[in-house]
Every structure is written in structure tokens, then in C-alpha cells.
Amino acid sequence: MNRNLKELEEKTGYQFQDEGLFRQAMTHSSYANEHRMNKLHCNERLEFLGDAVLEVVSSDFLYHKYQDKPEGELTKIRASIVCEPTLALCAADLNLGAYLLLGKGEEATGGRGRNSVVSDAMEALIGAIYLDGGFANAKEFIHRFVLNDIEHKQLFYDSKTILQEMVQAVPDQSLEYELVKEEGPDHNKTFEVRALLGSEEIGRGSGRTKKAAEAMAAYRGILKLREKACI
């Protein structure tokens, strides 16, 4: 196992028996194509499996955690946890993008920071742990890196809606999002946005799209307004 993957393995807290599975989980289809590898050697099949394991584990967790909530609410909470932006947030805790094997084109266009790429890799990693160490180890990983701090993940998922509802309760205040700057070439832009309550900046966020930057700015705005309410 190369040094980079060994470092990632230590972060996950899980030791692979089959190093090939681990490497496959970190192999993007662009890398497989560029190196003329069999299509089956990229992480897409593991992602398919990991997605199913994640859904079962998160469903079981929510079923027992929220015993007073009906099916519709549980479905909404689960969606907030397993959606692409939230999984990308979880992947960031492991700095997963830094360990991916990417093709040169994907690398050049910012693949390491793209939500779709890192969230898929997160699911592939879950699938690899499940195959290598069984359901219990996959469940432990999911609880540690995905189902931790789910209240904040729900806030992040619904941040713009939640912030709008909070602002509506404040008389004579309007909420706006202002683009502060955008950097990088068209294929690899980063946007920075601030959330303004009247003339006051309450949150700032950055992302690969304006929508992602606005969501992060809104999330930070929620935290700031909650903090103010507690003072």
C-alpha cells in the first residue's frame, strides 16, 4: 500500500485485509480510462454497493433515534444525510479528495474538490469496508463519519430555507446573498458569497457553484443568529 493510502487508512480507523479493494475505492473512472484499465476496476461498482449499505445503516439509526417521527419526516432527515453535498462535507473531514486516483483531465478541472466525485468516493469507501470487513465495520465507519452531528447536517441541507424562515420572524429585515468574488477558470471556479441581513453580514461561504456557496453562507448565518439569540 502506498504512503498516501496508508495515511487515509489510519484516518478511517479501519485496517483493510484486501488492499486492492481499498485502492479500487479510490480509483475514479477517469484514471481507469486513462490507464486503459478494465472499467470494472474503478470505484463505480463499490459506490453502488456503498450507497445501499449507507441507506440501510442510516435508516436503522434514524428509526431508533427518532421513535416519535412518522415515515415522511424520517425520509426527509435521511435525504439530508445521504445527499451529495452532505456526503461531500463528510468526505472533507477525511480530506478524501486528496487521496483519489484521478485522470489528468479530471484533475485539471478540479475533480478533487467536486462534490459529485468525493461523495461517490465516500460511498465507494463504505462499499469497500463492507466487502472487506463485513456489515459491522461498515456500520461503525458510517456512524463515525456520516451519522455524527446530524442536527448540523440537517441545518446545512436546508440552510437557505431555515434561514429564510428565521428572518421572516424579524420585522423589517430583508435577506440577500451577495457574490463577493469568483476565482479560477470556467471549468474550475470557486465562488464566495455573503449572506446579508439588511446591511449586516451574518455569514460567508465558498463553493464550486454559487448555490453551494450560498448554502454555506446561510448555514453560517443560522449559527450566528442562534448564537445571538442565546446571548
Side-chain angles (χ1 to χ4, degrees):
M1 185 183 298
N2 68 39
R3 183 167 55 84
N4 282 349
L5 285 186
K6 193 67 182 172
E7 183 180 273
L8 176 59
E9 186 181 57
E10 288 172 5
K11 286 184 180 181
T12 68
Y14 175 76
Q15 188 170 357
F16 276 87
Q17 304 302 310
D18 183 349
E19 294 176 5
L21 268 177
F22 188 22
R23 182 180 172 85
Q24 184 181 350
M26 294 298 102
T27 302
H28 189 258
S29 58
S30 62
Y31 183 92
N33 291 338
E34 195 172 284
H35 289 78
R36 294 192 171 89
M37 296 164 63
N38 188 308
K39 177 77 170 172
L40 300 179
H41 290 160
C42 74
N43 64 8
E44 290 177 352
R45 279 169 52 85
L46 287 174
E47 174 208 334
F48 164 79
L49 180 60
D51 175 67
V53 175
L54 175 59
E55 183 155 326
V56 170
V57 172
S58 57
S59 299
D60 176 75
F61 174 81
L62 296 173
Y63 180 86
H64 289 96
K65 180 176 175 66
Y66 299 111
Q67 297 189 19
D68 59 337
K69 291 191 185 296
E71 179 267 346
E73 286 188 50
L74 292 175
T75 299
K76 186 179 179 184
I77 297 170
R78 184 180 64 196
S80 73
I81 295 168
V82 303
C83 70
E84 183 182 288
T86 310
L87 279 180
L89 203 64
C90 299
D93 289 340
L94 290 164
N95 194 20
L96 203 60
Y99 302 99
L100 291 175
L101 297 171
L102 297 178
K104 290 177 183 175
E106 189 68 32
E107 178 90 57
T109 55
R112 292 192 189 280
R114 190 171 294 123
N115 281 2
S116 59
V117 173
V118 294
S119 64
D120 286 352
M122 191 72 174
E123 290 180 331
L125 183 54
I126 290 167
I129 292 173
Y130 170 74
L131 286 179
D132 190 72
F135 185 78
N137 281 301
K139 181 178 179 180
E140 184 179 338
F141 175 84
I142 292 167
H143 275 254
R144 182 177 173 188
F145 291 103
V146 181
L147 297 176
N148 60 327
D149 202 13
I150 62 170
E151 284 77 14
H152 278 92
K153 287 184 172 116
Q154 282 180 263
L155 282 185
F156 176 73
Y157 176 70
D158 279 329
S159 59
K160 290 184 72 175
T161 302
I162 293 168
L163 182 58
Q164 186 63 50
E165 289 171 353
M166 292 172 74
V167 168
Q168 284 170 353
V170 181
D172 306 320
Q173 290 281 21
S174 62
L175 174 66
E176 292 182 3
Y177 295 94
E178 180 183 275
L179 179 64
V180 178
K181 64 180 177 182
E182 56 181 275
E183 296 178 319
D186 287 342
H187 61 264
N188 190 23
K189 278 192 179 298
T190 299
F191 298 88
E192 187 172 334
V193 168
R194 64 178 185 157
L196 296 167
L197 186 56
S199 60
E200 179 191 359
E201 179 180 321
I202 57 171
R204 188 176 288 230
S206 60
R208 298 286 178 177
T209 64
K210 288 181 187 176
K211 185 178 178 182
E214 287 175 357
M216 183 57 75
Y219 171 66
R220 288 179 174 147
I222 293 167
L223 298 182
K224 184 169 184 178
L225 292 182
R226 284 187 167 187
E227 188 179 309
K228 274 188 173 183
C230 292
I231 295 172

